[in-house]
């Protein structure tokens, strides 16, 4: 990595920390819900399930849906589930760096999937 890239990366991480951007999940949830589509209805495959099937992740999604406190997704799962363009959209919409975006998605996606399975509104933990 070039020195200028290291400096840019460090400055972005400091910016994420200083602005507390990684603690504001509202923008991230808006984009996430747009991409996942409407909450699933009985006997109708949801956009979430179609996406998970296409990504080869339907069992992962089923596990998240079944667990009250699922562990965070892995970085590989996030990169498998979302396209690079969608990850860029998350970063642009939230103002987060790529590493901060991945970190936040790793925590939020399993919890959001669970809430959608229960048809409960998502309320971030305090």
């Amino acid at each position: 990595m070039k020195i200028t890239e290291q400096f840019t990366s460090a400055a972005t991480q400091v910016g994420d920390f200083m602005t507390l951007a990684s603690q504001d999940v509202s923008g991230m949830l808006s984009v996430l819900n747009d991409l996942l589509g409407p909450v699933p209805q009985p006997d109708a495959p949801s956009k979430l399930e179609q996406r998970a099937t296409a990504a080869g992740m339907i069992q992962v999604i089923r596990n998240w849906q079944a667990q009250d406190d699922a562990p965070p997704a892995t970085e590989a799962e996030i990169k498998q589930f979302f396209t690079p363009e969608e990850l860029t959209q998350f970063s642009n919409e939230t103002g987060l760096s790529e590493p901060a975006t991945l970190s936040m998605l790793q925590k939020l996606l399993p919890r959001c999937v669970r809430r959608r399975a229960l048809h409960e509104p998502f309320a971030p933990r305090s």
Side-chain angles (χ1 to χ4, degrees), residues 48-124:
L48 167 66
E49 290 170 330
Q50 292 168 353
R51 175 185 284 268
T53 300
M57 293 182 62
I58 194 68
Q59 191 55 50
V60 173
I61 297 301
R62 294 284 183 245
N63 289 339
W64 291 340
Q65 289 172 329
Q67 294 182 42
D68 280 332
D69 198 16
T74 65
E75 184 175 325
E77 288 169 334
I78 296 300
K79 289 183 175 182
Q80 183 177 347
F81 194 74
F82 296 107
T83 67
E85 295 79 16
E86 290 168 337
L87 293 173
T88 298
Q89 179 184 359
F90 279 116
S91 289
N92 291 341
E93 292 282 333
T94 60
L96 291 170
S97 65
E98 181 181 332
T101 297
L102 285 172
S103 177
M104 187 178 279
L105 281 171
Q106 285 176 261
K107 295 172 194 164
L108 288 181
L109 183 60
R111 291 171 34 206
C112 190
V113 167
R114 171 67 173 166
R115 293 284 187 190
R116 294 166 69 83
L118 297 174
H119 298 274
E120 293 180 0
F122 185 90

Side-chain angles (χ1 to χ4, degrees), residues 35-54:
L35 291 174
L36 298 181
V39 173
Q41 299 300 314
D43 301 322
S46 68
K47 190 174 177 181
L48 167 66
E49 290 170 330
Q50 292 168 353
R51 175 185 284 268
T53 300

